[in-house]
Amino acid sequence: MFRPVYIVMCALCAMASAANLRAAEPDPFQGLSGELRIAGSEAGLPAVLQAARLIMEANPAVTVTVWPTGTGIAVKQVKNRQAAIALADREFDLAALASQGLEVVHYAIDPVAVVVNPVNTVMGLTLAQAKSVFGGRIKLWGELGGRQDAVLPLYLQASEAEDKPLTQPGTMSVATQPAAKWAVSHNKDIVGCLSLRDLDASVKPLLLDGSAPTYENVSAGSWKVFRKLYLVLDKEPKGLAKAFVEYMLGPGGQALLAEAGYVPLAAKPARESVLAVGNPEELLSGN
């Protein structure tokens, strides 16, 4: 018998506040049965795994299978009916997806830090410098007060709907955030972007216009770098897929996201991210 696969990225304990919220709200899965297959980005995954566990505990006839594949592969799987929902952390051509019968549902915000290897002596950038670094206009760390080494910008794969990597000379691209973190932690020249919840001693977050990438500064509005998290699924979802969207947009799902280090929709920033970390092609352009 096929069993759900879980990749444990953090301790998935049932938080009391989320459980209480879920108990107080209507259960969109009530009366449903079957398997819901979800694939996609590691961003948002801890909250989705916790949601899957709580949903199955309350609804024994429902199985939720979660596969961390990266955004591009997951979108392909939804198109090919191999998965019902793709977890996505990239911006999309909405018209192109709509023409393929798919829709994109925004469900959370992922605060992001600009990171380098810990041996890099640069401590911070201005916003203009950060855009020039990712746009390829600043070539050497020495231009920023660091060593005379080449700057190597790292991007998550661009054009995720087609799963096309960036191929410009002097850059790197990877498919997932864990791969990006590994690359930064093993190369002194790389600069990339990571979720705040993934920061540890293996990478060094940079100040941006004097502001540090902390949850306190995100809440205060002084840290303004983030990506939007999306669910990609059929344009007119039904059954388990529709119920999952309702759950994640409801108070229980939003509480799980907040507990996992993401920003729920009620607290989303009023303006767009000052760096296009959710759109690698735009980030590469330096805009």
Side-chain angles (χ1 to χ4, degrees):
M1 179 179 178
F2 186 84
R3 296 186 182 276
V5 174
Y6 298 102
I7 304 300
V8 179
M9 300 180 65
C10 65
L12 295 180
C13 58
M15 300 292 184
S17 59
N20 291 340
L21 276 171
R22 188 182 188 283
E25 65 179 308
D27 183 358
F29 288 89
Q30 188 171 7
L32 299 179
S33 63
E35 180 186 11
L36 175 65
R37 294 190 176 188
I38 301 173
S41 169
E42 291 80 4
L45 186 64
V48 170
L49 287 171
Q50 177 72 322
R53 193 177 74 82
L54 293 174
I55 288 166
M56 289 189 290
E57 284 181 355
N59 301 274
V62 173
T63 298
V64 183
T65 308
V66 185
W67 298 90
T69 62
T71 296
I73 291 173
V75 172
K76 286 182 177 180
Q77 289 178 332
V78 172
K79 290 179 183 177
N80 296 332
R81 300 296 186 266
Q82 296 169 321
I85 296 175
L87 306 176
D89 58 5
R90 316 287 200 280
E91 300 296 330
F92 289 97
D93 183 336
L94 298 182
L97 286 183
S99 69
Q100 299 171 50
L102 301 180
E103 72 169 343
V104 176
V105 178
H106 180 203
Y107 74 101
I109 294 289
D110 182 24
V112 170
V114 178
V115 296
V116 294
N117 188 281
V119 303
N120 193 316
T121 57
V122 173
M123 301 303 294
L125 303 171
T126 67
L127 176 59
Q129 286 172 333
K131 290 182 176 181
S132 292
V133 163
F134 285 108
R137 295 189 293 273
I138 291 178
K139 303 290 188 182
L140 297 172
W141 285 111
E143 299 177 57
L144 302 167
R147 301 174 181 177
Q148 291 301 320
D149 296 319
V151 174
L152 184 57
L154 176 71
Y155 310 87
L156 292 179
Q157 287 182 343
S159 301
E160 276 290 338
E162 292 79 29
D163 200 26
K164 295 178 181 177
L166 291 165
T167 56
Q168 284 76 355
T171 70
M172 289 182 62
S173 76
V174 293
T176 67
Q177 286 208 83
K181 183 177 180 179
W182 188 93
V184 173
S185 68
H186 285 77
N187 189 311
K188 63 183 176 60
D189 299 329
I190 289 179
V191 57
C193 298
L194 283 180
S195 301
L196 263 61
R197 69 175 314 280
D198 293 329
L199 298 181
D200 60 27
S202 70
V203 297
K204 183 174 79 173
L206 298 180
L207 301 177
L208 193 61
D209 283 341
S211 179
T214 66
Y215 286 108
E216 291 77 12
N217 286 341
V218 171
S219 298
S222 60
W223 185 260
K224 305 173 183 178
V225 183
F226 59 88
R227 61 170 63 90
K228 296 178 181 178
L229 300 184
Y230 301 100
L231 304 174
V232 181
L233 67 165
D234 282 343
K235 199 170 184 179
E236 296 182 0
K238 300 177 182 177
L240 296 176
K242 180 180 179 181
F244 187 81
V245 173
E246 292 178 7
Y247 182 93
M248 294 307 297
L249 295 182
Q254 292 291 294
L256 289 176
L257 286 157
E259 289 165 357
Y262 304 101
V263 176
L265 294 180
K268 67 181 180 181
R271 299 183 179 179
E272 294 297 310
S273 173
V274 295
L275 281 178
V277 294
N279 187 333
E281 289 173 323
E282 184 177 345
L283 190 63
L284 178 64
S285 74
N287 294 327

